[in-house]
Amino acid sequence: GAVVSQHPSWVICKSGTSVKIECRSLDFQATTMFWYRQFPKQSLMLMATSNEGSKATYEQGVEKDKFLINHASLTLSTLTVTSAHPEDSSFYICSARDIGGPGYGYTFGSGTRLTVV
Amino acid sequence: DAKTTQPPSMDCAEGRAANLPCNHSTISGNEYVYWYRQIHSQGPQYIIHGLKNNETNEMASLIITEDRKSSTLILPHATLRDTAVYYCIVRVGAGNQFYFGTGTSLTVIP
């Protein structure tokens, strides 16, 4: 079945630095990928929709200059958290859609735990 | 923008059926009902989806009421590994986005 790989699975960075998270569709092409953020004991919150070859669409309240999304190929989307601060510490999850997969193919990555110190 | 209501938590005895309800009274005629689950610190896992008819797969059954305003996910023989947060999703945005509600935290008890 469709597999979405996220890397790294966890990262610790210093306040003020930038962190890049990769989301890859391993055996299918994904023109659209989605990025979520999840705080402890809360649900997933959609941050943005990443479209291959075009600009990402951000949800209301999400700072596009802080969370840079690049979807340069049909199998890779990246999320860069710029000038990270402790409040950006969270669990970041990506999702990609494989139209041929079950449930219309919304497959999720295993997530990236970001800790900003 | 989730349009679903689920109980925050439920317990189920191991080996028994777990019945997880979801209310989606404002569902539109062409919106599907999806169920995903999330085990602690992992990404959500697809379980099942349906439009009008009841559905069954190797993981679960989905019962959708005739008026489509509610549904029930049934795990026929719950195991300890089924302990997770279960999300019922009916909102798919204009760009096919998923918006998650608060989900139900299911605890399977030995």
Side-chain angles (χ1 to χ4, degrees), chain B residues 40-67:
Chain B
H40 183 62
S41 293
Q42 297 182 24
Q45 175 191 22
Y46 168 80
I47 300 173
I48 200 167
H49 78 286
L51 181 62
K52 295 181 180 179
N53 301 320
N54 298 336
E55 302 288 345
T56 296
N57 62 20
E58 65 276 6
M59 290 182 68
S61 295
L62 174 61
I63 308 298
I64 302 174
T65 58
E66 192 170 345
D67 61 8

Side-chain angles (χ1 to χ4, degrees), chain A residues 32 34 36 38 42-46 49 57 59 91 93 97 102-111 113, chain B residues 1 32 34 36 38 40-46 48-49 87 89 92 95-103:
Chain A
T32 304
F34 307 95
Y36 293 83
Q38 185 176 34
Q42 295 187 20
S43 185
L44 285 78
M45 184 189 76
L46 179 65
T49 301
T57 304
E59 295 296 307
F91 192 51
I93 307 169
R97 188 180 182 201
Y104 294 95
Y106 291 91
T107 302
F108 288 80
S110 55
R113 176 79 57 193
Chain B
D1 288 3
Y32 283 75
Y34 298 84
Y36 280 73
Q38 184 181 27
H40 183 62
S41 293
Q42 297 182 24
Q45 175 191 22
Y46 168 80
I48 200 167
H49 78 286
Y87 294 99
I89 307 165
V92 180
N96 293 312
Q97 303 95 332
F98 269 178
Y99 294 91
F100 284 77
T102 54

Side-chain angles (χ1 to χ4, degrees), chain B residues 12-91:
Chain B
C12 177
E14 187 178 17
R16 303 297 293 269
N19 297 286
L20 291 87
C22 179
N23 286 323
H24 32 79
S25 59
T26 60
I27 191 171
S28 299
N30 61 350
E31 288 182 325
Y32 283 75
V33 180
Y34 298 84
W35 283 85
Y36 280 73
R37 72 179 182 185
Q38 184 181 27
I39 297 171
H40 183 62
S41 293
Q42 297 182 24
Q45 175 191 22
Y46 168 80
I47 300 173
I48 200 167
H49 78 286
L51 181 62
K52 295 181 180 179
N53 301 320
N54 298 336
E55 302 288 345
T56 296
N57 62 20
E58 65 276 6
M59 290 182 68
S61 295
L62 174 61
I63 308 298
I64 302 174
T65 58
E66 192 170 345
D67 61 8
R68 301 208 330 119
K69 292 185 177 181
S70 65
S71 61
T72 300
L73 178 74
I74 301 173
L75 307 178
H77 305 286
T79 70
L80 299 180
R81 290 177 295 180
D82 292 323
T83 292
V85 178
Y86 287 76
Y87 294 99
C88 167
I89 307 165
V90 298
R91 169 65 186 262

Side-chain angles (χ1 to χ4, degrees), chain A:
Chain A
V3 177
V4 172
S5 174
Q6 243 181 281
H7 179 81
S9 56
W10 61 270
V11 58
I12 301 173
C13 72
K14 291 185 178 181
S15 186
T17 62
S18 295
V19 173
K20 179 183 286 188
I21 301 170
E22 293 186 348
C23 179
R24 293 181 184 272
S25 56
L26 295 188
D27 49 3
F28 66 99
Q29 294 182 331
T31 56
T32 304
M33 293 185 176
F34 307 95
W35 286 96
Y36 293 83
R37 179 169 55 180
Q38 185 176 34
F39 293 108
K41 298 189 183 300
Q42 295 187 20
S43 185
L44 285 78
M45 184 189 76
L46 179 65
M47 299 175 65
T49 301
S50 172
N51 302 297
E52 188 267 336
S54 64
K55 292 183 178 180
T57 304
Y58 291 83
E59 295 296 307
Q60 191 172 7
V62 177
E63 300 175 60
K64 61 181 180 180
D65 294 331
K66 182 169 186 60
F67 299 99
L68 301 180
I69 292 173
N70 183 281
H71 193 156
S73 78
L74 288 173
T75 60
L76 174 64
S77 175
T78 61
L79 169 68
T80 301
V81 182
T82 63
S83 186
H85 292 284
E87 58 265 31
D88 297 323
S89 298
S90 188
F91 192 51
Y92 292 87
I93 307 169
C94 70
S95 172
R97 188 180 182 201
D98 175 20
I99 296 177
Y104 294 95
Y106 291 91
T107 302
F108 288 80
S110 55
T112 297
R113 176 79 57 193
L114 170 63
T115 302
V116 184
V117 298

